[in-house]
């Protein structure tokens, strides 16, 4: 009897669970349909006694994407999606909204603009409870409006994911003059989102005043000269950055510390030379896996210094220097790639405008010496050679860009005469012989003098002194 009632009880519980489940699925479905229709739900939305009507100004552009997700019990995660067309969205509305909310809700905000849609956005976009922010295709106003306001540093920074892409900073001439005159900038403005795990900032151009041409701010000549600040990004694993509003690009990288970084992407960032900081491979950033410097204007292969220990169990790493402006194949730094400490690293210099002159011979010798197929005595040595070969066999396929007569030719296969290396004998016969003979005579005479001088020191001292009189 007792057993029976227990079973029926369990049955009833199952049914209730089922009903609950169905109900949940149904509400989820209606929710999906609503978000597909992009019906604005902000004003009517109430969660944990918070009415989203406070976010009223955002209502016409934004909707809540999904059911609030619960990561931990009692903690919610809400995604707000906004599409702004020929209108202005004010980030400060969102900040005001979150300043009144209890702690257990985190927000993700995704703003996409079109048709000159713009956002009033004081960098770096600080607001309580904001965990993820993405802005794309927007005109950004007020970007520097809080650059000197210390109140910003007092707002708790919980941003983990920050993305700002394909946008235009709009600064009036007045904004810009004010920014230039600033003596002091906040940490928030100078360093950005230091608690983030992933930061992506690229293809940001700048309109200043009525300058009709879009200029990249980092090429703007009259850049203000602020005090340097060392920014430490303790949690950052992925950084993709192609612009810096404050400093010339390389210095900005130099001053930052990324102890846990795995991916540094400075592709297409108009970098002219390799930042000193990144030449030390894995000195500070032990977990670095990928350094992307492709599509820049770098002209030199830097002498990279590897800090992996030999027989370390660290993962493989990659430095991408492809699509730069490297022309010299003297490649001062390349021999360092073949050191044992660099065994975990591959450097890519494909698609650069290599100049094929006599200096290329040096490169060919280098290939022979380090990358070629040699038979070696020790098997350990063979293994290392094999590893180098598998990483760098692409070097055999590099092609010339200049001179035009050799464009597209494979460098490793060029003959000495094709690269214009003249045999040594011809060089000697080409030099005029007159001066050489004179020099030979002079040096012979001097060495005889020296010999005679040492051998007959005393005698000469006497005779010389009389002669000098
Ligand atoms: C919800 O808010 C109202 C008024 O704002 C308040 O009276 C009520 O106690 C709140 N309820 C909870 C559960 O916080
Ligand atoms: C955006 O604004 C500029 C200048 O005000 C105008 O020339 C351009 O046509 C606008 N573009 C769109 C898509 O509205
Ligand atoms: C860069 O952003 C602008 C809008 O600001 C966009 O029109 C352009 O296509 C973007 N360029 C790339 C390469 O994505
Ligand atoms: C734009 O700049 C030019 C000179 O730089 C100036 O003559 C003109 O008045 C400016 N126009 C506006 C609308 O500010
Ligand atoms: C770096 O960023 C560029 C776009 O800016 C992208 O095309 C490239 O794939 C990225 N590199 C890596 C290694 O992900
Ligand atoms: C490398 O070895 C150390 C100790 O020898 C170990 O603590 C670490 O987890 C290893 N790392 C990997 C990626 O295997
Ligand atoms: C590439 O380097 C050459 C010199 O090696 C220089 O003349 C040229 O201006 C550079 N190109 C760019 C786009 O900077
Ligand atoms: C190296 O040797 C292998 C097999 O012995 C051969 O297939 C390959 O073409 C050689 N590579 C070069 C660059 O000589």
């Amino acid at each position: 009897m007792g057993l029976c009632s227990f079973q029926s009880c369990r049955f009833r519980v199952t049914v209730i669970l089922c009903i609950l489940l169905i109900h949940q699925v149904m509400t989820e479905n209606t929710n999906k349909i609503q978000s597909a229709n992009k019906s604005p739900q902000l004003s009517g939305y109430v969660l944990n006694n918070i009415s989203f009507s406070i976010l009223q100004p955002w209502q016409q552009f934004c909707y809540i994407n999904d059911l609030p997700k619960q990561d931990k019990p009692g903690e919610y995660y809400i995604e707000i999606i906004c599409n702004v067309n020929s209108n202005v969205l004010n980030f400060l509305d969102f900040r005001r909204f979150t300043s009144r909310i209890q702690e257990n809700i985190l927000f993700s905000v995704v703003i996409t603009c079109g048709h000159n849609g713009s956002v009033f956005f004081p960098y770096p976009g600080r607001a309580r409870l904001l965990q993820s922010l993405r802005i794309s295709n927007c005109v950004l106003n007020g970007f520097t409006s809080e650059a000197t306001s210390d109140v910003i540093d007092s707002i708790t920074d919980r941003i983990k994911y920050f993305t700002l892409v394909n946008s235009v900073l709009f600064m009036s001439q007045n904004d810009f003059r004010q920014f230039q005159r600033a003596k002091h900038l906040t940490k928030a403005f100078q360093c950005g989102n230091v608690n983030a795990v992933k930061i992506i900032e690229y293809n940001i151009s700048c309109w200043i005043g009525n300058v009709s041409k879009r200029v990249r701010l980092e090429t703007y000549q009259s850049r203000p000269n602020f005090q340097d600040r060392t920014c430490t990004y303790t949690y950052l694993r992925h950084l993709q950055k192609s612009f810096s509003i404050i400093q010339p690009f390389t210095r900005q990288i130099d001053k930052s510390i990324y102890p846990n970084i795995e991916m540094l992407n400075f592709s297409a960032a108009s970098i002219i030379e390799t930042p000193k900081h990144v030449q030390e491979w894995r000195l500070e950033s032990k977990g670095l896996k990928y350094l992307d410097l492709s599509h820049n204007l770098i002209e030199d292969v830097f002498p990279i210094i590897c800090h992996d220990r030999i027989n370390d169990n660290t993962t493989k790493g990659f430095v991408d220097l492809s699509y730069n402006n490297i022309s010299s194949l003297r490649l001062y730094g390349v021999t360092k790639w073949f050191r044992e400490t660099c065994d975990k690293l591959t450097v890519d210099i494909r698609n650069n405008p290599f100049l094929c002159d006599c200096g290329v011979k040096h490169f060919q010798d280098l290939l022979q010496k380090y990358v070629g197929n040699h038979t070696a005595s020790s098997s350990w040595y063979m293994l290392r050679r094999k590893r180098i070969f598998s990483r760098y066999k692409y070097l055999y396929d590099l092609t010339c860009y200049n001179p035009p007569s050799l464009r597209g030719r494979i460098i490793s296969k060029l003959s000495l005469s094709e690269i214009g290396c003249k045999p040594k004998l011809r060089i000697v016969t080409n030099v005029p012989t007159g001066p050489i003979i004179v020099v030979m005579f002079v040096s012979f005479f001097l060495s005889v003098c020296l010999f005679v001088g040492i051998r007959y020191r005393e005698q000469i001292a006497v005779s010389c002194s009389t002669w000098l009189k």
Side-chain angles (χ1 to χ4, degrees), residues 221-261:
Q221 284 308 305
S222 46
R223 190 181 296 106
N225 188 20
F226 300 114
Q227 159 214 350
D228 284 342
R229 207 192 267 275
T230 305
C231 307
T232 306
Y233 301 81
T234 315
Y235 312 103
L236 197 62
R237 291 182 188 279
H238 184 131
L239 175 64
Q240 179 177 344
K241 202 172 168 94
S242 69
F243 93 112
S244 156
I245 191 168
I246 304 162
Q247 288 165 318
F249 199 82
T250 49
R251 280 177 65 209
Q252 173 74 8
I253 301 172
D254 273 349
K255 279 280 162 189
S256 300
I257 297 171
Y258 313 106
N260 289 308
I261 199 82

Side-chain angles (χ1 to χ4, degrees), residues 148-159:
T148 57
S149 150
D150 282 319
V151 181
I152 296 316
D153 283 334
S154 70
I155 299 175
T156 319
D157 170 20
R158 295 183 71 171
I159 288 198

Side-chain angles (χ1 to χ4, degrees), residues 201-217:
E201 295 171 356
Y202 73 86
N203 188 18
I204 312 295
S205 48
C206 191
W207 279 339
I208 294 169
N210 66 4
V211 180
S212 57
K213 218 178 89 195
R214 291 182 181 195
V215 285
R216 280 182 170 277
L217 201 57

Side-chain angles (χ1 to χ4, degrees), residues 331-447:
L331 300 181
Y332 164 59
V334 169
T335 47
K336 294 228 162 59
W337 301 353
F338 306 123
R339 295 211 169 152
E340 223 171 328
T341 46
C342 287
D343 253 4
K344 293 282 161 52
L345 176 68
T346 308
V347 184
D348 188 349
I349 54 167
R350 269 173 274 211
N351 295 298
N352 275 284
F354 298 115
L355 171 66
C356 291
D357 61 4
C358 192
V360 161
K361 186 174 180 317
H362 181 77
F363 175 73
Q364 291 176 335
D365 294 345
L366 201 84
L367 281 184
Q368 274 292 311
K369 190 166 171 214
Y370 291 103
V371 194
N373 278 343
H374 283 257
T375 46
S377 47
S378 108
S379 63
W380 172 82
Y381 188 73
M382 268 309 270
L383 203 67
R384 238 179 78 69
R385 292 301 287 240
K386 255 191 199 150
R387 280 210 298 263
I388 291 176
F389 182 70
S390 71
R391 281 180 295 145
Y392 286 107
K393 58 175 181 285
Y394 84 84
L395 290 175
Y396 279 98
D397 302 327
L398 293 183
T399 55
C400 304
Y401 187 76
N402 276 319
S405 60
L406 292 178
R407 188 164 298 172
R409 295 284 302 278
I410 290 174
I411 297 168
S412 62
K413 292 184 180 158
L414 291 175
S415 68
L416 285 184
S417 63
E418 277 173 312
I419 55 180
C421 283
K422 291 179 182 132
K424 272 186 185 141
L425 265 178
R426 285 246 307 278
I427 292 170
V428 171
T429 52
N430 279 350
V431 174
T433 46
I436 291 184
I437 290 167
V438 171
V439 168
M440 276 166 67
F441 266 109
V442 169
S443 54
F444 178 69
F445 177 72
L446 284 178
S447 43

Side-chain angles (χ1 to χ4, degrees), residues 6-24:
F6 175 65
Q7 271 186 342
S8 68
C9 183
R10 198 167 65 172
F11 175 68
R12 241 176 273 145
V13 168
T14 318
V15 168
I16 289 169
L17 277 179
C18 269
I19 290 169
L20 277 178
L21 202 69
I22 289 164
H23 179 72
Q24 197 183 344

Side-chain angles (χ1 to χ4, degrees), residues 41-60 62 64 80 89-102 105 107 128:
Q41 321 171 0
L42 283 177
S43 65
Y45 197 83
V46 177
L47 176 78
N48 278 21
N49 221 9
I50 306 157
S51 165
F52 279 59
S53 58
I54 305 170
L55 246 183
Q56 192 78 41
W58 279 33
Q59 177 172 331
Q60 60 184 119
C62 309
I64 289 171
I80 298 176
L89 191 74
N90 193 340
F91 184 80
L92 299 182
D93 292 330
F94 179 75
R95 181 188 291 163
R96 246 191 310 274
F97 167 65
T98 54
S99 70
R100 303 182 195 185
I101 290 181
Q102 64 202 73
I105 302 177
F107 290 90
R128 264 184 86 237

